[in-house]
Amino acid sequence: MTTEKKKMQESENRLQLCLRNSAFVRNTVELTETDSTNRVAKELARSGAPEGTLVVAERQSDGKGRLGRSFFSPEGGIYMSMVLRPRISAENALLVTTCAAVAAARGIERVSGCTAGIKWVNDIFIKGRKVCGILAEAGLSAESEYPDYVVLGIGINVKKQSVPEELKNIVGCLEDMTTGPVLKEELISMVWEEFGGLYETLSTAVYMEEYKERSILLNREVTVLAAEGDYRAVAKDIDKKGHLIVEREGTEITLSSGEVSVRL
Ligand code: BTN
């Protein structure tokens, strides 16, 4: 057996052991390398894979981020995508991302011991650095008001090499935030353990309270990056659907997608 294969086998065994606590995960596809775990999970979802199918890769050659960006994915990070079949309408689709953000923040906090904040809508920050990004992609159904599937992708920077040199001021890794080692398999399991519990409350979105408490934007001055031109505003609230409400020159504006920056 080659060293790479042996390493993979050991990590597979560790992951299966850790996932015993995460009843939500029904089956796992583990890959050494792929282009994007979201792409693989979408293919599995289209061919009928059940909710709870998890794809995990050691590295990605074409990791996808939000807004058409790419997600740097060398070895040393966690790259995983889950097949979901939520019974929520497309207008509530943001709730999957917000649910995942709370689960990822809790999981990261449990392994790192550091307070994890959420930057609307899908980023987890520790000590002013982004350590995790989330990308949910829906496959719409022609027959139903519900999506056929949602693929939920989560990328977490764990080891130093998962942070690109040119982004060191913005992006961080868990290894730099903690004193002890971070076991990737343990973190994967914790995220899905937390997610499983929260996902049951998706339709009532009770976890939005915690999402708001963890928000690093609320009551701060932000810059909204808009197609018609960037503008300054104050982040006032996040509603039950996960929309960000900002106030610009006395007028409230509700944002359902897009990008907001804040000085940290
Ligand atoms: C973002 O920060 O804009 C979202 C990043 C999401 C990255 C994860 S890594 C696993 C999954 N596969 C992908 O190609 N993207 C997501």
Side-chain angles (χ1 to χ4, degrees), residues 36-38 60 63-66 71 80-81 130 133-134 154-155:
S36 155
T37 54
N38 265 31
Q60 301 182 118
K64 308 282 184 208
R66 274 180 77 238
F71 190 79
M80 58 184 175
S81 301
K130 173 171 168 172
I134 296 165
I154 303 182

Side-chain angles (χ1 to χ4, degrees), residues 49-75:
E51 178 160 89
T53 301
L54 176 66
V55 182
V56 186
E58 289 288 310
R59 49 185 185 265
Q60 301 182 118
S61 56
D62 191 17
K64 308 282 184 208
R66 274 180 77 238
L67 308 170
R69 296 185 188 130
S70 55
F71 190 79
F72 184 62
S73 313
E75 206 167 321

